[in-house]
Amino acid sequence: MKEMEDTKKSYENIPIPAELSKRVQLEIEKANANQKRKAIHIQRRRILMKKTAIAATAAVVLLTTGLNTSQTFAQELGGIPVVGSIARVLTFRSYETDKTDIKTSVDIPTIEMISTELDGLEKGVNKEIYAFCEQYAEEAQARAEEYRQAFLETGGTEEEWAAHDIKIKVWYDVKAFTGDYLSIAVMGTDSWSNASADAKYYTFDAKAGKWLTLSDVLDGDLKSAEENIRSQIVQKEKETGMNFWDEDWGGLTEDAKFYVNAAGNPVIVFAPYEIAPGAAGQQEFEIIK
Amino acid sequence: MKENLYDKLVAYIVENQDRFYRLAFSCVKNQEDALDAVQNAVCKALAHYEDLRNEDAVKTWFYRIVLHESYAILNAKKRFIPADDTHYSEIPYEEKRYEIHDDLYAQISRMEPDTQNIIKLRFFEELELREISQVLNMNLNTVKTKLYRGLKALKIAIREEDCT
């Protein structure tokens, strides 16, 4: 063991370059700036969400009043249960930019209710989606620009920077478009830090005529869904040989991300690094009903 | 509470940056890549500190990220090695300015990556085997077996307390 102790000494003698503390400090400052920006955004988001919630409640109230008071209105609504004929998803805005070798492509979706009875229910969600897409693109560009500045300041050249080929992408994916559900994912990623991927999910129930929460799709039973996920994690660990971080997971809560798949089953989504090593990527757990 | 965790993580990083650098250097074997690995690790850790639900796990969590970033750099470099040289690099690239002239250290660096990391974390970073199993995403018994075999291969007298 004497040998090992000597070896430890030579390991500890690996010289530490002066640049190390500078580079670490640079990252900390970048992160601090992001922290501040995030705090402001969270505040803004809260205000926006509050407004949306009020608008959504107002629309639901109108709809339910209609159902209770008018027989014909209820029948009319009952006759059009297919999402295919009551709503559609369109690309509202699509653009690409290329500034200082930071390439951005953005596709912003919008949901349109064809049925006039449901008209208005989509407004809040559309607003949120729009704000999310614009904000993600803006923040990702600012992050990449900071990265570029730091890269050039630490001796990188413009050519080397261009070779990084930074790409920012905001897009959407319709997860389910069945007679019962419309489920959509809106996502943002950048090519240089898988750490900063973000996504939002929305699921509309055509029969109930409302946007669903996690409790709605799990019939209020978060507990058994959580047990289900935990047993799926054990299975995935066996298959991949990777160790998931389920012991650090605080459990399934109402704000967990989810969508409904084509089979009508809820799927809970975890971002990279949320519950498993980043290398394992995004994790999805289907709860088969 | 969250801000508190963020501040603690920053303090932990500042305090232990030398350790992270050494570990990264022992993987990538040159200064530039080791600096990059640490920098990337700090960036990712601070962007994701919210995922760290358990404050006590900071240490193993951060070592895990440092190793991950170091291997990401090594793997990216491997792509530039000609196709016929696909074996695990027999001649590790060593920074000219600094080489550890130590037979045992050289022997360790030639071992299979998992065993290398287990030995480094156990004896140089003085982590417990339970912590190592968390850092490497590896079953505790596998860690024990690999450590035992590694030490045997190095012809080092194995003490009971090192392998439990």
Side-chain angles (χ1 to χ4, degrees):
Chain A
M1 267 304 136
K2 166 91 176 52
E3 271 175 291
M4 192 60 97
E5 258 137 47
D6 292 343
T7 311
K8 181 178 185 225
K9 273 183 201 119
S10 16
Y11 176 85
E12 281 168 350
N13 282 335
I14 293 176
I16 306 294
E19 210 189 327
L20 177 69
S21 63
K22 270 190 233 155
R23 303 261 295 253
V24 168
Q25 201 50 42
L26 178 76
E27 282 309 317
I28 292 174
E29 273 158 26
K30 259 163 62 179
N32 284 348
N34 267 337
Q35 278 298 105
K36 266 184 218 141
R37 213 179 303 148
K38 230 194 256 168
I40 295 166
H41 274 132
I42 286 169
Q43 249 172 12
R44 265 196 226 148
R45 235 181 253 168
R46 276 196 192 129
I47 295 166
L48 186 70
M49 263 162 65
K50 221 183 226 169
K51 281 188 188 154
T52 322
I54 293 167
T57 326
V60 170
V61 168
L62 273 180
L63 189 66
T64 42
T65 334
L67 281 174
N68 289 338
T69 51
S70 149
Q71 194 60 35
T72 42
F73 181 66
Q75 274 166 357
E76 269 168 31
L77 195 63
I80 37 151
V82 239
V83 168
S85 67
I86 63 158
R88 60 176 165 223
V89 180
L90 304 164
T91 300
F92 178 61
R93 201 176 154 211
S94 175
Y95 63 90
E96 279 178 22
T97 62
D98 182 355
K99 203 179 132 232
T100 56
D101 290 306
I102 299 166
K103 297 183 187 66
T104 311
S105 88
V106 180
D107 284 330
I108 305 178
T110 187
I111 296 154
E112 239 183 51
M113 297 288 175
I114 298 168
S115 148
T116 45
E117 280 84 1
L118 298 173
D119 198 24
L121 279 180
E122 78 285 14
K123 283 210 175 78
V125 168
N126 283 338
K127 224 186 231 172
E128 258 184 60
I129 290 176
Y130 189 84
F132 170 81
C133 293
E134 287 289 53
Q135 185 181 317
Y136 186 88
E138 205 180 286
E139 281 179 14
Q141 280 170 342
R143 268 199 309 271
E145 186 54 39
E146 271 172 38
Y147 177 28
R148 177 174 165 270
Q149 291 294 343
F151 181 78
L152 296 178
E153 275 164 23
T154 48
T157 66
E158 292 281 359
E159 289 74 33
E160 282 167 344
W161 170 253
H164 280 66
D165 195 21
I166 301 282
K167 287 195 184 89
I168 295 162
K169 197 176 164 203
V170 180
W171 82 109
Y172 66 93
D173 185 17
V174 177
K175 296 288 188 186
F177 204 174
T178 66
D180 297 334
Y181 300 109
L182 164 64
S183 202
I184 179 173
V186 189
M187 294 157 290
T189 53
D190 62 28
S191 60
W192 60 286
S193 62
N194 56 0
S196 53
D198 200 0
K200 267 181 170 305
Y201 296 83
Y202 297 94
T203 299
F204 188 75
D205 183 335
K207 279 192 184 138
K210 67 167 189 172
W211 296 98
L212 298 179
T213 65
L214 187 58
S215 283
D216 292 336
V217 296
L218 294 173
D219 303 319
D221 192 1
L222 268 62
K223 200 95 211 113
S224 28
E226 180 180 330
E227 278 160 25
N228 189 328
I229 291 171
R230 289 199 190 272
S231 65
Q232 287 190 51
I233 287 175
V234 174
Q235 195 57 38
K236 284 196 184 200
E237 283 180 325
K238 262 189 215 147
E239 283 163 16
T240 59
M242 285 193 200
N243 193 359
F244 280 56
W245 308 342
D246 49 323
E247 60 273 14
D248 297 339
W249 180 41
L252 191 60
T253 53
E254 192 57 55
D255 54 4
K257 289 177 174 160
F258 74 94
Y259 64 86
V260 172
N261 63 15
N265 289 323
V267 178
I268 319 286
V269 185
F270 293 94
Y273 288 101
E274 202 175 332
I275 199 158
Q282 174 168 303
Q283 294 297 320
E284 300 194 348
F285 298 91
E286 182 180 6
I287 309 293
I288 296 166
K289 281 189 174 171
Chain B
M1 170 66 207
K2 287 234 150 137
E3 277 68 31
N4 203 359
L5 183 59
Y6 178 83
D7 292 341
K8 278 191 181 147
L9 181 59
V10 169
Y12 174 78
I13 291 170
V14 171
E15 196 183 320
N16 294 287
Q17 48 180 301
D18 292 1
R19 290 176 169 274
F20 309 142
Y21 175 81
R22 283 190 202 106
L23 185 63
F25 183 90
S26 74
C27 287
V28 298
K29 307 213 164 51
N30 76 81
Q31 177 178 318
E32 225 14 76
D33 289 343
L35 283 169
D36 283 347
V38 175
Q39 190 175 356
N40 290 347
V42 173
C43 173
K44 290 202 173 150
L46 292 177
H48 282 278
Y49 77 97
E50 280 148 322
D51 300 340
L52 182 71
R53 295 233 163 71
N54 182 359
E55 206 181 284
D56 307 325
V58 169
K59 188 168 154 192
T60 54
W61 186 69
F62 204 87
Y63 276 120
R64 182 160 61 200
I65 299 177
V66 170
L67 282 177
H68 184 264
E69 292 308 319
S70 303
Y71 282 103
I73 287 173
L74 278 184
N75 288 338
K77 283 202 158 179
K78 261 192 205 158
R79 279 187 229 134
F80 296 104
I81 296 173
D84 55 349
D85 193 4
T86 46
H87 300 289
Y88 191 73
S89 177
E90 311 268 316
I91 317 143
Y93 170 76
E94 299 260 354
E95 183 81 355
K96 289 272 181 310
R97 276 167 284 169
Y98 185 77
E99 277 176 41
I100 296 173
H101 294 286
D102 186 294
D103 287 345
L104 183 58
Y105 189 88
Q107 276 178 49
I108 294 171
S109 334
R110 279 195 298 273
M111 297 181 105
E112 173 259 340
D114 280 342
T115 312
Q116 266 190 47
N117 288 327
I118 293 170
I119 291 176
K120 283 187 271 189
L121 292 170
R122 179 70 191 90
F123 296 103
F124 305 161
E125 295 296 332
E126 295 178 349
L127 260 61
E128 286 169 25
L129 292 186
R130 185 187 49 81
E131 292 175 316
I132 297 173
S133 81
Q134 284 166 10
V135 175
L136 300 177
N137 282 322
M138 206 182 272
N139 186 294
L140 182 58
N141 283 323
T142 317
V143 174
K144 283 184 191 169
T145 315
K146 285 191 186 243
L147 177 60
Y148 186 83
R149 286 206 195 120
L151 291 179
K152 220 170 167 188
L154 293 169
K155 296 197 175 63
I156 284 179
I158 299 155
R159 290 184 309 191
E160 200 61 23
E161 66 259 39
D162 292 323
C163 291
T164 49

